[in-house]
Amino acid sequence: MEAPNTQNASPSVAECSVKEPNVETRKVPPGGMLYGDYLQVDRLLSCQNPLSTLSTPVHDEHLFIITHQAYELWFKQIIFELDSVRYLLNTKEVGEAKMLTITSRLSRIVLILRLLVDQVTILETMTPLDFMDFRSYLSPASGFQSVQFRLIENKLGVRNEHRVNYGKNHYLKIFEDPKVIDAIMQSENEPSLCDLVQRWLERTPGLEENGFNFWNKYKKVATMILNRIKEDAEEDPDPNKRETLIEDWRKKKETFESLFDTNKHILNTYLLIRGQRRFTHKAFQGAMMISCYRDEPLFNQPYHLLKLLMDIDSLITKWRYNHVQMVQRMIGSQQLGTGGSSGYQYLRSTLSDRYKVFVDLFNLSTFLVPRNCIPPLTPAMKRRLSVMEELILSHAGMLSGDEEDKDDTSLINL
Ligand code: HEM
């Protein structure tokens, strides 16, 4: 197994561990518990205390509180699932059973996020005038102070350098409780889901340079395709169209070159700043290989996992979008937020790809080659990808190269 690329990556497993999530234990009284006791419903239902009751009660404040509390409860569940998935991934072996647990927990996160995206509409039944009636009581409270939201972002892999500055302040500055600050800082330092997924992708069977060497084959195919595009462009009889086509080819060539050159991939600050590259070079290769051969049994679940990661990113972006729309509807685009940001303008700037943790997976499509150009699997590689058991062995580093493999990109019918 190759050493992971450390240049733009992640803390190592040894550096910081990921703990399995635990829940507080309780004593069961003799004779068992009734519904209300088990769920501590009284405690839960005693937490909705609108402040407008201090003067003129505003009906909708109750909905405002319940909605936020429901979000925080679901955030808690997301963190619980996320921690368990990080724990399961934080090993050198990710076998079939683990893989199924990981994908089913990620699917659960996806479903919860879907619910959270839709939940915004319930709060939108409140009118801006109703909100105005109790907004002054909230200040300086703001969703910006949601600790769990920041934990989710960090545990997924949102990096500090990609965050939008909040009134030129570090996002941590708003928190005062040392325990909260510690928890958030810890979430920044632990391996995120994005870090762990990269390490796992780096071990994708078939990437070995002394074996199937997928990347070498893929490079050859991509170069053949680029050459064909260039030839077609140069042969176009219309001079204007020819120029456009050649320019298009040049841009494509540059994009592919940035992918093929390891140094360019990591050091291309332009792409990093624009948030288009986050993955290590090797992890990107693994993701590309899984996408190309997703129909092979060994890659079915891994491909499903990659899709779930994109779903998570998409849904959080959708939530940000729905939230910002609601904010504009409630307070317009010129008022400051109760947390002190520029409000709508600040939130709008968080909608960009900077916050997409798995942006490399979205960008895979830029580099996909047509199905009939995908390098054919050698018989040995085909066998290797046909059994799930192999995943355990190869991800444990027990299978090295693939002796029977030879370079056969010449078989591709362009
Ligand atoms: C009437 C409804 C709402 C309004 C007007 C509103 C307004 C705002 C504003 C203006 C901000 C920017 C920070 C600031 O200066 O305060 C913000 C941030 C935030 N709000 Fe809301 N919000 C509403 C409902 C919600 C709900 C239901 C949630 C669910 C938990 C939520 C969660 C958040 C979070 C997590 C942030 C931080 C986002 C980030 O920094 O990327 N908000 N909100």
Side-chain angles (χ1 to χ4, degrees):
M1 199 182 72
E2 259 182 58
N5 192 330
T6 50
Q7 259 178 296
N8 69 340
S10 45
S12 71
V13 185
E15 272 172 65
C16 20
S17 61
V18 180
K19 290 198 190 80
E20 195 169 16
N22 53 13
V23 267
E24 280 173 37
T25 42
R26 292 162 65 192
K27 283 205 176 103
V28 183
M33 283 185 200
L34 295 179
Y35 176 89
D37 294 330
Y38 176 69
L39 295 172
Q40 303 183 61
V41 175
D42 283 348
R43 268 175 84 185
L44 198 62
L45 300 188
S46 64
C47 301
Q48 295 72 38
N49 305 305
L51 284 179
S52 61
T53 48
L54 296 172
S55 53
T56 317
V58 181
H59 179 88
D60 284 9
E61 192 185 352
H62 194 269
L63 175 73
F64 187 80
I65 294 173
I66 290 269
T67 308
H68 279 81
Q69 288 176 342
Y71 268 103
E72 289 294 338
L73 277 178
W74 283 122
F75 286 167
K76 186 168 184 182
Q77 187 63 33
I78 292 177
I79 292 171
F80 193 66
E81 303 298 351
L82 209 49
D83 281 347
S84 76
V85 168
R86 284 163 61 241
Y87 177 76
L88 290 168
L89 269 175
N90 196 28
T91 54
K92 286 189 178 159
E93 281 178 49
V94 185
E96 185 178 11
K98 261 192 197 173
M99 199 63 186
L100 285 173
T101 312
I102 289 170
T103 50
S104 72
R105 289 186 186 161
L106 287 176
S107 301
R108 186 177 291 161
I109 294 180
V110 166
L111 287 178
I112 296 172
L113 285 171
R114 270 200 193 121
L115 192 72
L116 296 189
V117 169
D118 289 345
Q119 217 161 276
V120 173
T121 55
I122 304 178
L123 197 52
E124 278 177 347
T125 58
M126 175 175 77
T127 67
L129 261 182
D130 294 329
F131 183 48
M132 209 183 235
D133 282 344
F134 67 89
R135 190 175 181 227
S136 58
Y137 293 106
L138 308 177
S139 190
S142 160
F144 198 78
Q145 296 142 16
S146 167
V147 179
Q148 296 201 102
F149 187 75
R150 296 298 172 224
L151 290 179
I152 292 175
E153 284 181 335
N154 289 345
K155 282 167 191 267
L156 283 172
V158 170
R159 295 257 194 103
N160 256 328
E161 60 268 30
H162 292 135
R163 287 187 183 280
V164 176
N165 272 345
Y166 168 71
K168 300 209 170 72
N169 281 330
H170 190 279
Y171 79 104
L172 257 178
K173 209 152 187 173
I174 202 146
F175 299 103
E176 286 169 3
D177 183 345
K179 272 195 196 149
V180 163
I181 296 174
D182 267 8
I184 298 180
M185 284 179 67
Q186 194 184 331
S187 69
E188 276 184 11
N189 296 326
E190 280 174 1
S192 64
L193 181 63
C194 184
D195 295 328
L196 295 163
V197 163
Q198 285 181 70
R199 280 189 213 143
W200 167 75
L201 283 171
E202 283 166 359
R203 302 192 299 264
T204 304
L207 292 184
E208 307 85 6
E209 280 168 25
N210 59 346
F212 182 67
N213 199 352
F214 166 71
W215 198 241
N216 194 35
K217 291 182 167 58
Y218 169 79
K219 247 160 87 173
K220 283 188 183 164
V221 167
T223 311
M224 276 193 257
I225 292 175
L226 281 169
N227 288 342
R228 173 60 59 87
I229 293 173
K230 185 180 177 223
E231 279 165 30
D232 288 351
E234 284 171 344
E235 279 166 18
D236 199 286
D238 178 344
N240 288 335
K241 201 171 161 210
R242 188 163 60 231
E243 210 175 298
T244 316
L245 289 173
I246 291 179
E247 190 46 38
D248 189 45
W249 161 78
R250 214 169 267 128
K251 280 189 197 141
K252 272 204 178 85
K253 190 169 161 274
E254 257 175 45
T255 316
F256 272 84
E257 276 170 358
S258 78
L259 184 70
F260 293 148
D261 185 330
T262 319
N263 291 326
K264 271 194 193 163
H265 178 88
I266 298 160
L267 300 175
N268 199 328
T269 39
Y270 171 72
L271 293 172
L272 283 174
I273 290 167
R274 289 186 54 192
Q276 289 179 5
R277 296 272 164 87
R278 310 272 167 85
F279 275 16
T280 62
H281 201 226
K282 200 82 183 174
F284 189 86
Q285 294 174 17
M288 179 65 91
M289 173 145 193
I290 291 170
S291 298
C292 286
Y293 305 106
R294 59 175 182 243
D295 294 336
E296 303 302 319
L298 190 71
F299 283 167
N300 288 172
Q301 280 298 318
Y303 183 68
H304 184 43
L305 187 143
L306 298 186
K307 268 186 15 188
L308 290 169
L309 298 175
M310 284 194 279
D311 287 346
I312 290 177
D313 253 349
S314 292
L315 286 162
I316 294 184
T317 310
K318 278 183 187 153
W319 180 83
R320 288 186 196 277
Y321 182 76
N322 281 4
H323 175 255
V324 82
Q325 290 287 102
M326 176 180 62
V327 169
Q328 189 179 29
R329 186 189 277 231
M330 293 295 165
I331 63 170
S333 46
Q334 302 302 326
Q335 281 196 64
L336 297 183
T338 43
S341 78
S342 56
Y344 172 75
Q345 306 299 342
Y346 159 73
L347 292 169
R348 238 179 62 145
S349 61
T350 65
L351 289 176
S352 76
D353 276 359
R354 302 163 72 105
Y355 282 83
K356 262 196 196 144
V357 174
F358 300 103
V359 70
D360 299 75
L361 297 179
F362 289 85
N363 289 334
L364 273 180
S365 313
T366 312
F367 303 102
L368 278 184
V369 294
R371 204 181 274 272
N372 64 334
C373 298
I374 293 175
L377 293 170
T378 56
M381 195 62 215
K382 181 96 184 154
R383 263 201 314 280
R384 234 178 126 183
L385 296 186
S386 66
V387 207
M388 202 62 187
E389 204 177 315
E390 294 269 349
L391 186 65
I392 306 166
L393 296 174
S394 53
H395 271 161
M398 291 166 74
L399 290 177
S400 54
D402 189 340
E403 328 75 49
E404 285 182 45
D405 289 336
K406 58 178 190 321
D407 193 350
D408 53 359
T409 36
S410 54
L411 295 175
I412 296 161
N413 180 10
L414 282 173

